[in-house]
């Protein structure tokens, strides 16, 4: 199993640009999570999906952030327009489903907004 | 919502010594407490977890203890080795609810 796959690994962009982060969960997993990691705030849950449906997006910082999961094998996190304070490592994680609590994390996307 | 605090933020120990990382949580409804290890350039990986119906759990050199009354839980690593050097995160959540709140992380450095 390839694990959770995220792309790109690194993204450098200028303030105001649109950024799209991508995630492929482990096949068969039906819950997907987006986390943001910063030095100041640690790991924050942004949004999670169950069976492709957003269940809780209360962690999404503001309207500039949006996430989609068009099918069971793909999710995107979009920031438009990006700001320097969005610089962080963004992780995607998946779990097989309710009742199985171990999160399988991808390797993350290091985002730098200049 | 849940608030998880983790201490210390950095910890340096000599190889062979023990390391202890402590976390507190605020929501008495939380009943599941996992610990994750993050190595450089990688995503966090689950190393041990405990549910609220258990006070202690061990797995070789690592153990976790839980005090529900005081709302705190701790990770204990004995006989530390250089490969234990990493960032460790505690988390709290409600089992079957799929929502976990993480602590801010502890960077453990094991000096050979």
């Amino acid at each position: 199993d390839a694990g959770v796959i995220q792309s790109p690994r690194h993204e450098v962009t200028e303030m105001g640009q649109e950024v799209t982060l991508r995630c492929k969960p482990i096949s068969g997993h039906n819950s997907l999570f987006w986390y943001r990691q910063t030095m100041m705030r640690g790991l924050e849950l942004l949004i999670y999906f169950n069976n492709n449906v957003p269940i809780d997006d209360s962690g999404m910082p503001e309207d500039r952030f949006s996430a989609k999961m068009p099918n069971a094998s793909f999710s995107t996190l979009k920031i438009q327009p990006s700001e320097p304070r969005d610089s962080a490592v963004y992780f995607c994680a998946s779990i097989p489903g309710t009742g199985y609590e171990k999160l399988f994390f991808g390797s993350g996307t290091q985002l730098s907004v200049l | 919502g849940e608030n998880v605090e983790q201490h210390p933020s950095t910890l340096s120990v000599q190889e062979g010594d023990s390391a202890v990382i402590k976390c507190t949580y605020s929501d008495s409804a939380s009943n599941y407490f996992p610990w994750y290890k993050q190595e450089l350039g990688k995503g966090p990986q689950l190393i041990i977890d405990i549910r609220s119906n258990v006070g202690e759990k061990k797995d070789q050199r690592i153990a976790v203890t839980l005090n529900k009354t005081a709302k705190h839980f701790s990770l204990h690593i004995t006989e530390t080795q250089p490969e234990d050097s990493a960032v460790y995160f505690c988390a709290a959540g409600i089992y079957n609810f799929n929502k976990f709140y993480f602590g801010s992380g502890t960077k453990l450095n094991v000096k050979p």
Side-chain angles (χ1 to χ4, degrees):
Chain A
D1 196 327
V4 176
I5 299 174
Q6 290 187 247
S7 65
R9 286 299 307 269
H10 303 274
E11 176 80 34
V12 180
T13 190
E14 291 187 348
M15 182 174 63
Q17 297 297 306
E18 177 180 295
V19 175
T20 299
L21 311 182
R22 296 172 176 80
C23 175
K24 177 179 168 54
I26 293 173
S27 177
H29 285 197
N30 60 16
S31 293
L32 181 141
F33 304 76
W34 283 100
Y35 283 89
R36 178 171 68 176
Q37 183 179 25
T38 61
M39 289 292 291
M40 292 297 294
R41 301 171 74 107
L43 271 169
E44 300 175 275
L45 176 64
L46 301 178
I47 186 171
Y48 86 89
F49 296 84
N50 191 41
N51 292 322
N52 313 336
V53 176
I55 302 300
D56 187 340
D57 64 356
S58 60
M60 295 287 264
E62 45 197 281
D63 292 346
R64 297 185 298 106
F65 285 70
S66 62
K68 293 182 179 180
M69 192 163 186
N71 57 63
S73 59
F74 184 65
S75 177
T76 59
L77 178 67
K78 186 178 292 187
I79 309 172
Q80 166 63 17
S82 59
E83 297 181 3
R85 61 194 168 112
D86 301 331
S87 298
V89 181
Y90 291 80
F91 286 103
C92 175
S94 68
I95 61 173
T98 302
Y100 191 88
E101 306 299 330
K102 177 182 176 181
L103 287 164
F104 292 82
F105 282 86
S107 297
T109 294
Q110 173 78 58
L111 173 64
S112 297
V113 183
L114 306 177
Chain B
E2 175 67 277
N3 181 41
V4 179
E5 295 193 356
Q6 182 171 348
H7 301 279
S9 57
T10 59
L11 179 60
S12 189
V13 299
Q14 206 67 38
E15 182 178 359
D17 288 350
S18 295
V20 181
I21 302 170
K22 298 181 179 182
C23 289
T24 60
Y25 63 99
S26 61
D27 189 349
S28 57
S30 291
N31 58 10
Y32 176 69
F33 308 92
W35 286 87
Y36 283 79
K37 176 184 180 182
Q38 184 181 22
E39 297 177 341
L40 197 61
K42 298 183 179 180
Q45 284 193 305
L46 181 72
I47 55 171
I48 194 168
D49 56 8
I50 191 169
R51 295 195 211 178
S52 59
N53 57 348
V54 176
E56 184 176 1
K57 184 176 179 180
K58 289 183 180 179
D59 184 1
Q60 299 182 343
R61 295 186 297 107
I62 60 173
V64 58
T65 58
L66 171 66
N67 183 326
K68 282 181 58 180
T69 304
K71 294 195 186 71
H72 64 71
F73 56 113
S74 301
L75 178 71
H76 304 251
I77 306 174
T78 59
E79 300 172 23
T80 53
Q81 301 168 4
E83 51 265 38
D84 294 329
S85 295
V87 178
Y88 292 81
F89 291 95
C90 63
I94 298 174
Y95 196 75
N96 273 346
F97 201 57
N98 289 347
K99 188 168 184 176
F100 311 103
Y101 296 87
F102 282 82
S104 52
T106 295
K107 184 174 183 180
L108 174 64
N109 179 36
V110 180
K111 295 177 286 186

